[in-house]
Amino acid sequence: MISLCACIAGFLLDRIFGDPQWRFHPIRLMGNLISFWEGKLRKDQKEAAMKWAGVWLVVAVTIPSLLLPFGLLIICQIIHPLLRFFVESFLCYFLFAAKSLKTESMKVYDKLVQGDLEGGRQAVSMIVGRDTQSLTEEGIIKAAIETVAENTSDGVVAPVIYTLLGGVPLGFLYKAINTMDSMVGYKNDKYLYFGRAAAKLDDVVNFIPARISAYLMILSAYLLGEDGKNAFKIYRRDRYRHASPNSAHTESVCAGALRVQLAGDAWYFGKLYKKEYIGDDLTPIQVSMIPRANGLMYMTSALSLIIFAGIRLFFIMI
């Protein structure tokens, strides 16, 4: 019950204050740990050696990410259950990113509303991995919407699911895997082999949350007055139009709900990557769709909290 209440408290803290910009933010420390081990492990450039180095990276990062919060909470529980509640709430606060996702995407919105195209490119470059220097206004808007849609699953709903079902340790384990994927899980010359283990593991842990997120977003589309019927149609048709087995699930729902066409070819690190389109071009891309995508993200995250908190409470009561 303490863990359940702490998770809800952390979720609400994120909604109110957003992700804290703190030097000792646990996710930032995870990133430092990943960079440290990358420097130690990337010695031999041969394919087999790089693959094994990537496996050792996963082990070296996930074990402390799981055990350290577990040990900290045990110590706090021994001292006093109330101390554990406050510490666990604070740790949960670091796991959710809904407010920050909205804040960063709305910076793109604000720049475009002001007519600042270059500012919009700069703002969107902070939340996407693609090259943004030559994006048109439509391309900037699409990139922002796609980021909000995709991160609804792995940045918001998946942490909620894992934290509610397995407590802070499982939540931090998930974030460690997801952070590794965001740092080394690229299919480029540098990370093709070294980042493979992290990328595959991220696909595994996001497999179920991505699909849950999609159906919750379809429900959110109905609740918010968006095109829920088209969201379901596009989801069923386009959910696998992505190199990742998970990324297009919420993206296709969002495209259908907003009645727009997303994805398509994009530039990464100076190289053009061919991608399939997601959704139908039924409505012109408009800057007002960025806050609408955020509305879908917020409603989806709220539904995930309600449903999985209810599941956790049910097992506590029985």
Side-chain angles (χ1 to χ4, degrees):
M1 186 62 76
I2 291 176
S3 294
L4 173 59
C5 293
C7 185
I8 295 172
F11 186 89
L12 294 176
L13 285 171
D14 173 72
R15 280 297 174 90
I16 297 169
F17 300 110
D19 201 27
Q21 301 300 309
W22 188 36
R23 178 181 178 185
F24 300 105
H25 193 299
I27 310 306
R28 181 175 293 182
L29 295 179
M30 282 181 188
N32 294 338
L33 182 63
I34 293 165
S35 296
F36 170 80
W37 280 114
E38 180 181 354
K40 295 290 185 181
L41 294 168
R42 286 177 61 92
K43 302 296 184 183
D44 192 333
Q45 297 299 311
K46 294 178 181 178
E47 178 181 335
M50 292 289 280
K51 288 180 180 179
W52 276 109
V55 172
W56 283 112
L57 173 71
V58 169
V59 173
V61 173
T62 56
I63 290 179
S65 298
L66 176 68
L67 295 183
L68 286 177
F70 182 75
L72 177 60
L73 293 180
I74 288 178
I75 294 171
C76 292
Q77 178 70 25
I78 292 172
I79 296 172
H80 198 282
L82 192 59
L83 175 63
R84 176 190 164 186
F85 169 73
F86 284 117
V87 171
E88 194 164 1
S89 298
F90 193 57
L91 291 175
C92 285
Y93 175 31
F94 291 117
L95 294 174
F96 309 131
K99 180 68 177 291
S100 294
L101 183 57
K102 178 187 177 184
T103 299
E104 293 302 316
S105 61
M106 288 303 290
K107 289 179 182 178
V108 180
Y109 171 84
D110 291 338
K111 291 295 183 181
L112 293 180
V113 167
Q114 295 166 12
D116 185 358
L117 190 63
E118 187 56 41
R121 292 190 184 109
Q122 179 62 31
V124 82
S125 72
M126 304 303 293
I127 56 174
V128 300
R130 73 189 65 180
D131 300 340
T132 62
Q133 58 267 28
S134 61
L135 287 179
T136 63
E137 180 175 350
E138 179 179 305
I140 295 169
I141 297 169
K142 285 175 63 175
I145 293 171
E146 289 165 17
T147 297
V148 171
E150 183 176 343
N151 282 281
T152 298
S153 176
D154 59 9
V156 184
V157 176
V160 167
I161 293 173
Y162 281 111
T163 306
L164 276 168
L165 296 184
V168 162
L170 192 60
F172 269 85
L173 175 63
Y174 170 78
K175 290 298 287 188
I177 295 169
N178 191 241
T179 304
M180 276 190 295
D181 179 62
S182 67
M183 291 180 66
V184 304
Y186 296 101
K187 292 182 177 179
N188 56 23
D189 293 339
K190 183 177 181 180
Y191 291 118
L192 180 61
Y193 302 119
F194 182 72
R196 182 169 296 180
K200 293 298 183 183
L201 184 57
D202 185 74
D203 288 343
V204 172
V205 298
N206 278 298
F207 187 86
I208 294 175
R211 286 144 182 82
I212 292 173
S213 299
Y215 281 103
L216 291 180
M217 188 177 281
I218 292 169
L219 177 58
S220 297
Y222 280 106
L223 293 174
L224 293 174
E226 302 287 359
D227 195 338
K229 183 178 179 180
N230 194 53
F232 181 71
K233 171 190 170 183
I234 299 301
Y235 170 67
R236 296 293 297 173
R237 190 190 74 190
D238 295 351
R239 65 191 188 278
Y240 293 119
R241 291 187 178 182
H242 199 284
S244 164
N246 303 318
S247 294
H249 286 261
T250 45
E251 199 172 322
S252 60
V253 173
C254 189
L258 300 181
R259 299 173 60 82
V260 296
Q261 190 174 70
L262 300 176
D265 299 348
W267 289 85
Y268 292 86
F269 307 106
K271 182 179 179 180
L272 179 63
Y273 285 80
K274 307 295 288 185
K275 294 184 175 184
E276 293 187 81
Y277 284 105
I278 295 174
D280 294 327
D281 188 12
L282 302 176
T283 306
I285 294 285
Q286 302 170 8
V287 69
S288 60
M289 291 175 176
I290 297 176
R292 288 167 63 190
N294 279 309
L296 287 169
M297 180 269 294
Y298 261 153
M299 181 62 76
T300 302
S301 63
L303 290 173
S304 69
L305 180 73
I306 293 168
I307 292 170
F308 285 93
I311 293 172
R312 179 73 178 267
L313 183 62
F314 172 77
F315 283 104
I316 290 172
M317 299 302 292
I318 63 173

